[in-house]
Amino acid sequence: MEKSSPASINVTDIMKDIREEIKEKGYSSDMLSFADVPLDVQDTDNMARFDTDILHSNVEYLSHSCTAKLGNPNTGNPFARFFKCLAVRMLGFYLEPYADKQNSLNACTAQAQEQVELYIQESRMHSTRALLERIEMLELQQKNMRINMDQMQEQIRLLQDKLSEEEQK
């Protein structure tokens, strides 16, 4: 690939070459769409249903990584570190307010996600408690119905005995 300066790049020539290549290969505009592009099905399956483990891991990640430091000149080769350090020192005064705003936004997002997780946990506990109370009430009703049914069966048995005695007389 030949090096060229930004002034020597001709976008119209590049687009002309791309259009010619499309014509040569016989592509038409209706042949491909974004729906034809394959994507990871596993990720879309996970997003179709609620999973507390995924929510918890995402909230944990947000909570631990919500602050971003402006510039990390300790990575890369010495030449790259020098230029990173220089860029941070030259632009730090300008970028620092934006980094602070982004950190504030990230912290608020993390707190909001934590609140959502707590709300889900509380609503599950509340609904579980309500269901347990309902189960206890239904079990008590069932026990009372069983007692009533046993009493009625005893009354029926007594009445049948009494009827059979009267028939024998």
Side-chain angles (χ1 to χ4, degrees):
M1 176 177 261
E2 63 184 58
K3 291 192 175 194
S4 58
S5 67
S8 67
I9 295 176
N10 191 347
V11 176
T12 54
D13 288 341
I14 294 171
M15 290 304 295
K16 182 180 171 187
D17 292 341
I18 291 172
R19 287 187 185 101
E20 287 174 7
E21 187 176 337
I22 289 173
K23 285 180 185 177
E24 287 173 7
K25 292 184 179 182
Y27 294 142
S28 65
S29 62
D30 62 339
M31 290 180 82
L32 283 176
S33 68
F34 285 110
D36 297 330
V37 177
L39 59 113
D40 191 4
V41 177
Q42 184 180 9
D43 290 339
T44 58
D45 288 344
N46 286 339
M47 299 312 281
R49 61 181 172 73
F50 176 72
D51 188 353
T52 55
D53 295 333
I54 292 174
L55 175 67
H56 182 70
S57 66
N58 288 342
V59 167
E60 198 171 288
Y61 174 77
L62 270 174
S63 298
H64 293 297
S65 61
C66 66
T67 57
K69 294 178 184 174
L70 185 62
N72 187 6
N74 296 328
T75 59
N77 63 37
F79 188 69
R81 282 196 307 242
F82 172 74
F83 278 109
K84 287 179 187 178
C85 187
L86 183 65
V88 167
R89 287 187 184 191
M90 289 175 50
L91 298 173
F93 73 94
Y94 181 73
L95 296 176
E96 198 166 307
Y98 293 108
D100 289 341
K101 286 181 184 179
Q102 185 64 49
N103 286 336
S104 296
L105 175 69
N106 292 350
C108 288
T109 303
Q111 288 175 352
Q113 287 295 326
E114 288 172 1
Q115 290 297 312
V116 167
E117 185 179 28
L118 290 172
Y119 174 76
I120 290 170
Q121 289 173 355
E122 286 178 11
S123 66
R124 281 187 169 177
M125 286 182 1
H126 176 72
S127 65
T128 301
R129 191 176 312 119
L131 288 173
L132 287 174
E133 289 172 359
R134 178 80 173 141
I135 288 171
E136 288 176 5
M137 185 182 71
L138 290 172
E139 285 175 344
L140 182 63
Q141 284 179 353
Q142 182 184 18
K143 183 179 178 183
N144 289 337
M145 294 289 235
R146 191 167 275 141
I147 291 171
N148 288 341
M149 191 171 70
D150 288 343
Q151 289 174 349
M152 287 185 172
Q153 285 178 344
E154 182 63 27
Q155 286 178 354
I156 290 172
R157 189 187 59 77
L158 289 173
L159 287 172
Q160 284 176 342
D161 288 347
K162 194 175 185 181
L163 182 63
S164 66
E165 284 178 11
E166 286 182 9
E167 287 179 355
Q168 288 178 355
K169 289 185 182 179

